[in-house]
Amino acid sequence: MNEEQLMVIAPYVKWLLLVVALAYLGYIFVLKKEEFKSAWIVAISALMTALVAIATMIIRIPTPQTSGYINFGDTMVMLSAVLFGPLVGGFAGGFGSAIADAFGYPHWAPFTLIIKGVEGWVVGYITSKRDDFTSVLVATIVGGFLMVLGYFLVEVWLYGIGGATAELPGNTLQAVTGVVVGGGLGYLLRRSYPQVSFLLKA
């Protein structure tokens, strides 16, 4: 697989994102409607998805070796997960980051959808069980590690070990920023506004 072959998926990215969004809404309004207030979940999901996309797009540092870019969207991915649990964290992390990729880097969107979605879900799942400082720290470190590992494996497949290794410092910086800013702010806000906890069971 090379860059040109991968670009053939670019025209279909918008349809992939549409299917994911519809599946998410179906899950909320059909399968989970009795367990929590669906309108709140949709509103919070939309807000956090927008924040993830904006944070991902506002600062883009290109990495020529892999035709990708360094960004600081992981701060919002981890913040949404710590505050609102695995459902919102996973969706906002994956979908918001994939939307950002769709503008300029559409061939990366499917990978980002999965990698950042897993990151948000794992962080949200762990912190929905315990919200003490140590748990939040461990959750965000694990989430950051999974993000770095996910991109590394995809980059090895696409660009070889050299290109993947060149991306490691940037992806690690993203993870560390997410842990410090997203995890730290999420921990403080959870402590200050415990009423958001009704969303964590989603």
Side-chain angles (χ1 to χ4, degrees), residues 96-117:
S97 301
I99 286 176
D101 276 0
F103 293 93
Y105 303 83
H107 56 293
W108 273 105
F111 302 115
T112 292
L113 179 69
I114 296 170
I115 294 169
K116 295 295 184 81

Side-chain angles (χ1 to χ4, degrees), residues 72-92:
F72 297 99
D74 291 276
T75 58
M76 289 296 109
V77 174
M78 294 191 185
L79 176 63
S80 64
V82 172
L83 283 180
F84 304 116
L87 181 65
V88 174
F91 180 78

